[in-house]
Amino acid sequence: MKAKIIVLGGGISAVSFAFFLKTKSFLILEKNAELGGLLRTREIRGFKFDKGGHVLHLRNPIVVDLIVNHLMQNKLVKKERKAKVFLKGQLIDYPFQYNFNKLGDEVIVQDIRKTLPESIPEKYTYKSLEEWLLLNFGKGLYKWFFNPYLTKLLKTNLSEVDWRWGNMFIPVLSEGIRKILKKGGCMSGKVGYNPEFYYPLQGGIQHVIIAFLKNKKEIIQKSLTNCRVEAIDVEKRRVITNRGYIDYKFMVSTIPLKDFLEISTINDLLKDIAKNLRYVSLAIYNYGFKGDLKVDAHWIYVPEEKYTFHRIIFPSNICKNNAPKGSFSISVESSLKPGEFPKTNSWEILENLKNMGIISEDSEPIVIDRDLIEIAYVVFHRKYFKDLDIIRRELTDYDIWLLGRFGSWEYSFIEKNILDAMRLANVLKKYSINQN
């Protein structure tokens, strides 16, 4: 079998890349029975649970027009983010660094206020995420929120994480905001990269993938599912799978970069770099309940060490159609080190939810479900950007492009995946392959 463009993996990046291609000379290889990657939804007794917490943070006008107006035809709900932080038995508005003065624990509040930085270094090269957080937010915020939460999320000492991870996602404090906070004030408004979001009105997040496939049926026709890539000969440009081998001219890989490097005949330098690539897994605990949910939030961040999980998501608050009428749903996420077995079970987490006041003492689930994402979040190790640059340069010599959250080995979101796919499809035109 031959294909001009071979695409490894069938998630949102691969599907949107195929959507933007003008040529029909491509082939997607997906190990699972259906396309979608992590954008999958399963339904249990009327409750819809996504594979991890997913919403559509759309800001780019091109992507907004594509998803909202064209693909989904306005069959979406749009909401302002309602996120909270649970600390010392209290729910505080997110971002915590803007709202810590609402916390009832005066000792913590004063500790944060008095350690807020007077000034922030300009044009400064930070040694780590730990240093970036300390110099931009102070010891109090680092101690009470950032360090416990991010250490729980990333399962890594923050002194070993590149500072640019934080700079990408964490809203900073301007001089004016710091003055307001020191005087006991708080800040509100649309802050951060995700102040608003869209979500499918029906069918869960998987409906985004379905919309792409409905609008370009060739994607399904040009896909091999249940097709596991076992080896890649980059010199011969041949992919060996459980369904035979496929020769190609150009390759786009959206499968986890670590896996790609391990199964390819690439040089020893990249093999060594692959050993440094870090990630965390994710255990997901899903619950469905009868009755009404008393918490008015879409998700809650949980920094305290006594709880093994770091985030609580309310799918039925994100979209009421994620649960049957008169019911509500909860998903709890807990990061794990690679190969680590979950330290708690569904019933223990249920008791935590009761003790936190998220659900009442007499609440009993009518649905309990568990899921696991083996590679969930990429961790930016100290040499992350240098290593990724070396990998990309080497692979480009073989006409191999990396794409997507795991193919590019990055911490990204759906809109970026779609934009990167569109840009790569345009780049490939220069190679005279994006033509019928």
Side-chain angles (χ1 to χ4, degrees), residues 35-51:
L35 301 175
L38 292 184
L39 292 199
R40 293 205 299 265
T41 306
R42 55 185 181 185
E43 185 171 342
I44 306 171
R45 296 177 62 183
F47 292 92
K48 298 177 183 68
F49 298 107
D50 296 332
K51 196 171 184 68

Side-chain angles (χ1 to χ4, degrees), residues 2 9 31 40 71 75 81 105 114 149-150 164 169 201 209 219 228 234 255 262 307 368 382 386 401 412 425-426:
K2 294 183 178 180
K31 68 179 181 180
R40 293 205 299 265
L71 295 182
K75 294 177 181 177
R81 175 197 66 209
D105 192 314
K114 71 181 182 182
Y149 179 77
L150 293 176
R164 284 165 283 191
F169 297 105
L201 188 59
I209 290 289
I219 298 176
R228 185 179 64 256
V234 298
I255 66 174
E262 288 175 354
Y307 302 109
I368 295 181
R382 293 279 290 276
K386 179 181 178 180
W401 286 266
S412 61
N426 289 329

Side-chain angles (χ1 to χ4, degrees), residues 39 41 48 50 54-58 67-68 71-79 197-211 315-323 414:
L39 292 199
T41 306
K48 298 177 183 68
D50 296 332
H54 296 291
V55 293
L56 296 166
H57 306 299
L58 306 181
I67 299 295
V68 178
L71 295 182
M72 300 298 294
Q73 298 179 352
N74 293 305
K75 294 177 181 177
L76 296 156
V77 293
K78 183 180 181 181
K79 297 193 174 184
F197 65 85
Y198 294 87
Y199 189 86
L201 188 59
Q202 301 285 347
I205 200 65
Q206 185 170 320
H207 204 69
V208 176
I209 290 289
I210 294 171
S316 53
N317 279 357
I318 291 173
C319 179
K320 65 180 182 180
N321 294 322
N322 278 337
I414 296 170

Side-chain angles (χ1 to χ4, degrees), residues 164-295:
R164 284 165 283 191
W165 185 95
N167 193 47
M168 293 168 65
F169 297 105
I170 300 174
V172 296
L173 305 174
S174 67
E175 182 180 359
I177 292 174
R178 292 197 303 274
K179 288 181 179 179
I180 292 172
L181 296 175
K182 286 182 178 182
K183 293 178 180 179
C186 295
M187 295 297 297
S188 59
K190 298 178 180 180
V191 182
Y193 80 99
N194 61 354
E196 297 176 330
F197 65 85
Y198 294 87
Y199 189 86
L201 188 59
Q202 301 285 347
I205 200 65
Q206 185 170 320
H207 204 69
V208 176
I209 290 289
I210 294 171
F212 271 101
L213 299 179
K214 281 184 176 179
N215 278 267
K216 190 172 182 179
K217 294 182 172 59
E218 298 98 311
I219 298 176
I220 295 178
Q221 297 165 4
K222 295 287 185 177
S223 298
L224 286 180
T225 54
N226 293 313
C227 185
R228 185 179 64 256
V229 177
E230 297 176 345
I232 303 166
D233 191 322
V234 298
E235 287 83 12
K236 292 182 177 180
R237 304 199 178 203
R238 173 171 289 182
V239 177
I240 295 88
T241 78
N242 60 315
R243 299 180 62 174
Y245 70 85
I246 305 163
D247 292 327
Y248 65 91
K249 188 174 181 181
F250 303 93
M251 174 179 285
V252 173
S253 177
T254 72
I255 66 174
L257 179 58
K258 192 176 183 70
D259 295 344
F260 173 86
L261 294 176
E262 288 175 354
I263 63 175
S264 64
T265 58
I266 207 70
N267 61 53
D268 290 340
L269 171 62
L270 297 196
K271 295 281 188 183
D272 289 338
I273 290 177
K275 297 174 184 177
N276 296 328
L277 298 179
R278 299 185 188 181
Y279 66 93
V280 294
S281 302
L282 190 68
I284 306 165
Y285 304 81
N286 298 317
Y287 304 89
F289 299 86
K290 283 282 189 184
D292 297 321
L293 179 63
K294 305 303 181 185
V295 177

Side-chain angles (χ1 to χ4, degrees), residues 2-117:
K2 294 183 178 180
K4 185 174 286 187
I5 310 171
I6 198 83
V7 183
L8 308 185
I12 183 62
S13 294
V15 169
S16 53
F17 171 73
F19 179 85
F20 292 119
L21 278 176
K22 302 302 181 184
T23 180
K24 295 181 180 179
S25 232
F26 68 89
L27 183 65
I28 295 175
L29 307 183
E30 168 57 46
K31 68 179 181 180
N32 293 309
E34 59 183 359
L35 301 175
L38 292 184
L39 292 199
R40 293 205 299 265
T41 306
R42 55 185 181 185
E43 185 171 342
I44 306 171
R45 296 177 62 183
F47 292 92
K48 298 177 183 68
F49 298 107
D50 296 332
K51 196 171 184 68
H54 296 291
V55 293
L56 296 166
H57 306 299
L58 306 181
R59 295 174 294 179
N60 184 282
I62 296 174
V63 181
V64 171
D65 183 59
L66 172 67
I67 299 295
V68 178
N69 301 324
H70 180 54
L71 295 182
M72 300 298 294
Q73 298 179 352
N74 293 305
K75 294 177 181 177
L76 296 156
V77 293
K78 183 180 181 181
K79 297 193 174 184
E80 290 191 10
R81 175 197 66 209
K82 291 183 180 179
K84 305 285 185 180
V85 173
F86 184 88
L87 183 62
K88 298 297 180 181
Q90 191 176 345
L91 287 175
I92 305 298
D93 290 335
Y94 174 87
F96 181 74
Q97 61 269 33
Y98 281 55
N99 295 286
F100 66 84
N101 281 308
K102 296 178 182 179
L103 189 66
D105 192 314
E106 193 62 24
V107 173
I108 296 177
V109 169
Q110 290 299 328
D111 187 29
I112 295 174
R113 272 190 210 160
K114 71 181 182 182
T115 58
L116 283 172

Side-chain angles (χ1 to χ4, degrees), residues 120-137:
I120 294 175
E122 294 184 9
K123 297 181 180 179
Y124 182 82
T125 302
Y126 299 95
K127 296 177 183 177
S128 65
L129 179 58
E130 177 186 56
E131 185 179 50
W132 181 80
L133 290 167
L134 284 168
L135 291 180
N136 280 269
F137 299 96

